[in-house]
Amino acid sequence: SAFHGRVLTTTSATPTPSRPKMRAEVFAKDTQSLVTASRLLLSVGARGINVPNKATVAQNPELAPAAALHSLAAALSTTEMKGVCPHYSLKFNNDARDPASTLRRFEAFCEEAASLHVREILLVSGSGSRSFDSLACLKALTLPAERRPAIGVAFNPFFPDRAARMRERARLRQKLNTGA
């Protein structure tokens, strides 16, 4: 391995039994850093890339979920795109005035992700509460499974209050029971 500028290069990207392939989460400030970090992680043996959604389209248009996926699709192979798992945050993609609009936007993103060979999406509500959260979105989902990637959900087992932990567990069961 050697550093060339700010990018690590290696000649041995093959995982060994003692070093299994892992997913890596990429935090990027722009498209170029997203693509560069993703290529680097895949070149050193990551089996997939998680792409968080930490801003609204207005705050960072090039890292909005669909834009980020298109940037990666232009730089990665179809096989590599199958290992990309974009996060879709309803906190940053929620039209508070219109849940139906929020759902349409999410379903359109799912179809677009599928067209780019993405196999999994992580749907998250984001911190704070909102009327149309990930559970409401899953319950309202109308897009058939064959037209979208698999949808994963988040679970936080670390609430200090027992009652809050029990509510979160019940929400997890409800999310999983939607069958999405």
Side-chain angles (χ1 to χ4, degrees), residues 139-161:
K139 286 180 176 180
L141 192 64
T142 60
L143 187 65
E146 61 273 4
R147 290 182 37 205
R148 61 174 168 77
I151 299 172
V153 296
F155 167 67
N156 180 359
F158 299 108
F159 287 104
D161 177 61

Side-chain angles (χ1 to χ4, degrees), residues 105-158:
R105 196 176 326 158
F106 175 64
E107 289 183 339
F109 172 74
C110 288
E111 287 185 301
E112 194 162 1
S115 77
L116 297 172
H117 309 288
V118 169
R119 290 184 172 173
E120 296 177 288
I121 293 172
L122 181 66
L123 176 64
V124 298
S125 294
S127 60
S129 62
R130 53 202 40 80
S131 60
F132 194 75
D133 61 9
S134 60
L135 178 57
C137 186
L138 291 168
K139 286 180 176 180
L141 192 64
T142 60
L143 187 65
E146 61 273 4
R147 290 182 37 205
R148 61 174 168 77
I151 299 172
V153 296
F155 167 67
N156 180 359
F158 299 108

